[in-house]
Amino acid sequence: MSQAVYEEPSQQIPILVTADVVVCGGGPAGVAAAIASARGGARTVLLENQGCLGGIWTSGLLSWIIDAGNKKGLMREIVARLDRRKARIASSGEDFTYDPEEMKLLLEEMCEEAGVTVMLHTRVVHAAVEGAGRLTLAITESKSGRQAWAASLFIDATGDGDLAARAGCRFDLGRPRSGETQPMSLMALVAGINPDEVAVYTMDGVNETPKARLLERMEQAGQTPSYAAPSLFHIRDGLFALMANHEYGASALQASQVTQATLHARKELHRIIDGLRSLGGEWANIRIVSTANHIGVREGRRIHGRYTVSEQDLQAGIWHEDAVCRVRYGIDIHSTNPDQGKGFGDDGKRSLPYDIPLRALIAADVDGLLMAGRCISGDFIAHSSYRVTGNAVAMGQAAGAAAAIAAIANVLPQHLNGADIAQALQRLEETN
């Protein structure tokens, strides 16, 4: 039986602004891209669907940043400014926790200082491509209705590659043969526990033992979480973040599946916390302060670029002349099939530190489009490594710097001089 359809009347869509660079998605990659672009002298617009900047850092309450230790420029600046706010706790390793609410305000301030035009509550729903294959407009929906945003260059930092897909770019999703994707996780902020009393259950950045201890306590309370390595992170004072669930088999590209994953995850988190509270002792007063507004998505579209970061790159520890990010984080595949385990692993593969080249950030099928964050061009194994947010910031910074140079010079990113980009990135590093 065919599905009923409604034929939407054609309409004229107002072109709200003409910018040099339009960045779609205001998560770690998108914010970095917008700031780098604006600091590079480009008129820059940042479009974000949520009610704050930061994406998984803020509306997703991630609260834990990975692979930031070797990143210069904007990542180092963010760390320094969080420290000045006393909004960050370093771990025994290089990873760290931060206060999500302080992060929201900090990212807004940095965009304002750079001169970025920010539009919240604005979702990209379509794209206009000229006959020659040049992306010319990003189409959005918001309380203001349907609007178009024109620019010389666009950056897709939506995580799921929404702009690129709507512009007609090819993409990959999930494992090569099965299509299975890594599960989603809904973060929660919890309070009512004493940092000293729960220190043995709290992640310190290098030791996995706290996860096993926390799992044991949850099981003692009659709750076996869907994620076999539940993690508790100390944010500040008596505030903690908890990751304890996996939502298997849900596609980030289907709203109904994201919805069901979110509803299921929230119920599970409350059951887990209620169970811990029933144990008494150090858990007697634990409560959920907030669950994330947006479930954490590990895997969406991987847009085809002019270079594909591959498993072989990781194994070889590859270097590139047009490198924009050196990834040190290893292969991290959260179970794609709960029947084969509910934790995480590396599929028996090993990696060395490796480069992401600018070419992997430039769309192959549409001109005038760059990507930043987890939607760049890579295979399943490589994506499991570079997807973490310390790398997202570095990729966004590079995409924004390149877009600004290309827009001002009126050239496509693939025609840029590598030395010019290196100089632009160096200037960003020197602003700290």
Side-chain angles (χ1 to χ4, degrees), residues 25-27 31 45-55 58 104 107-108 111 117-123 140-144 147 149:
V31 167
V45 173
L46 176 58
L47 307 175
E48 166 57 34
N49 179 48
Q50 299 292 323
C52 63
L53 298 178
T58 53
K104 291 178 187 177
L107 297 180
E108 290 170 3
C111 283
T117 298
V118 174
M119 284 293 295
L120 304 177
H121 307 289
T122 303
R123 178 187 291 275
T140 63
E141 290 277 5
S142 69
K143 283 286 189 180
S144 301
Q147 295 172 318
W149 306 77

Side-chain angles (χ1 to χ4, degrees), residues 193-205:
I193 46 180
N194 184 300
D196 294 331
E197 293 179 353
V198 298
V200 295
Y201 308 104
T202 305
M203 287 293 294
D204 63 4

